[in-house]
Amino acid sequence: MSYAETETASQPACWQRAADLAGGPEAVALPVAGERVAVVGCGTSFYMAQAYAGLREGSGQGESDAFAASEFPSGRGYDRVVALTRSGTTTEVLELLNRLRGTTRTVAVTADPRTPVRAAADGLVVLDFADERSVVQTRFATTALTLLRAHLGLHSDAVVADAEAALAEPLPDELLRSTQFSFLGRGWTVGLAHEAALKMKEASLSWTESYPAMEYRHGPISISTAGTTTWMFGEAPEGLPEQVRATGARWVNGSLDPLADLVRVQRLALARAAARGLDPDLPRHLSRSVVLDGA
């Protein structure tokens, strides 16, 4: 088995540990209700930041924005900035945290506390049990989001049970043969849709796109046809499934928790990689952390 396969399979246990941490002293540096918060990351971590920001603001716990670390707006005021970084070494994240030092409270959620992020952030939450050897992120990203979700009071044991179901369910052959995937979300699940598309690209070189579900009607649906798949995270807008099916495309809208549904996409990406003879642990042109020369 690849590292990515092993790490994907370990997610239910990691999520349970993260949920337990969320109510303990380890999470004291995380935002409290009412704060104005920005969440930053790069790549997969950026999409988890989008999901967390959507959950937090959507549940009435405070204004919450998400940015790619390189695009953080200078001069905008926040009570706290949360940085998601598996490696703790990503150049854009470290540069931002150092720039904010002394002006805005910061906290980093990381898998490796021995890296430069320890000195760059005011607070640190360590998920070393969810660290990964694969370049392609699976369990760290979802475990970080579970920690944050549980800290908001929005996690339950049913989410872990759904993750176990997502690992056990067989993948339909039609998905392995699909020529193109469009992933859709609403609210906090837009971030999950973007992450699903990224995972399929990274691991299996699949042709994928991702959109807010309502935006899919405004042009992108024209790509749907026989042999393509449109995958919805969470509840679909009324009438959209019927419109997609009318194109001849396959419509997927699972009954699992949306985060658990992401596990199904991770498995699909790994299965398609195996079918193509690709190594998901070492995708082309990618490294485990982006460290820019001269930074």
Side-chain angles (χ1 to χ4, degrees):
M1 293 180 67
S2 65
Y3 292 128
E5 289 175 291
T6 301
E7 289 156 3
T8 295
S10 70
Q11 286 174 107
C14 288
W15 295 6
Q16 188 60 62
R17 289 187 65 177
D20 292 340
L21 284 177
E26 299 88 348
V28 68
L30 294 176
V32 298
E35 288 185 332
R36 189 165 188 255
V37 170
V39 198
V40 301
C42 300
T44 289
S45 292
F46 170 44
Y47 299 139
M48 295 299 103
Q50 288 182 321
Y52 171 51
L55 279 169
R56 187 174 185 273
E57 185 155 332
S59 61
Q61 301 194 42
E63 292 184 17
S64 308
D65 297 320
F67 302 100
S70 60
E71 300 300 317
F72 186 84
S74 60
R76 187 178 295 186
Y78 290 98
D79 297 312
R80 199 180 310 244
V81 171
V82 179
L84 306 182
T85 170
R86 175 178 65 172
S87 69
T89 61
T90 304
T91 296
E92 302 100 295
V93 172
L94 294 177
E95 287 181 344
L96 175 60
L97 291 174
N98 286 322
R99 193 163 75 243
L100 294 174
R101 183 182 290 118
T103 63
T104 305
R105 286 178 294 176
T106 60
V107 56
V109 180
T110 187
D112 191 346
R114 298 160 297 187
T115 57
V117 75
R118 172 177 284 279
D122 298 323
L124 206 64
V125 180
V126 179
L127 304 176
D128 50 0
F129 57 88
D131 202 357
E132 297 161 324
R133 298 184 66 173
S134 175
V135 168
V136 173
Q137 281 201 57
T138 53
R139 73 181 180 192
F140 174 76
T142 60
T143 300
L145 183 55
T146 297
L147 168 81
L148 296 167
R149 194 179 180 187
H151 190 255
L152 294 172
L154 301 176
H155 173 83
S156 71
D157 291 341
V159 179
V160 176
D162 277 0
E164 292 170 342
L167 290 167
E169 293 176 356
L171 296 171
D173 290 339
E174 292 89 342
L175 292 179
L176 293 172
R177 296 194 299 266
S178 187
T179 59
Q180 187 271 350
F181 293 84
S182 296
F183 295 99
L184 312 179
R186 301 178 81 181
W188 75 281
T189 68
V190 172
L192 300 186
H194 292 330
E195 168 58 11
L198 177 63
K199 209 52 50 196
M200 295 285 285
K201 292 172 185 173
E202 290 177 325
S204 64
L205 305 183
S206 297
W207 175 23
T208 66
E209 300 176 326
S210 53
Y211 305 95
M214 292 297 288
E215 284 299 302
Y216 191 62
R217 296 178 174 184
H218 296 277
I221 195 172
S222 63
I223 203 68
S224 296
T225 188
T228 69
T229 295
T230 302
W231 190 311
M232 181 74 208
F233 285 89
E235 185 178 355
E238 185 177 355
L240 184 58
E242 292 76 16
Q243 292 178 16
V244 171
R245 292 189 185 103
T247 71
R250 180 182 180 87
W251 173 263
V252 178
N253 197 174
S255 59
L256 301 176
D257 180 86
L259 189 58
D261 210 23
L262 180 60
V263 175
R264 294 176 64 208
V265 178
Q266 293 170 347
R267 289 182 57 218
L268 177 61
L270 297 177
R272 286 173 65 90
R276 296 182 177 191
L278 300 171
D279 183 354
D281 291 334
L282 296 170
R284 68 184 188 182
H285 314 315
L286 296 179
S287 58
R288 189 174 183 275
S289 174
V290 176
V291 180
L292 304 179
D293 293 338

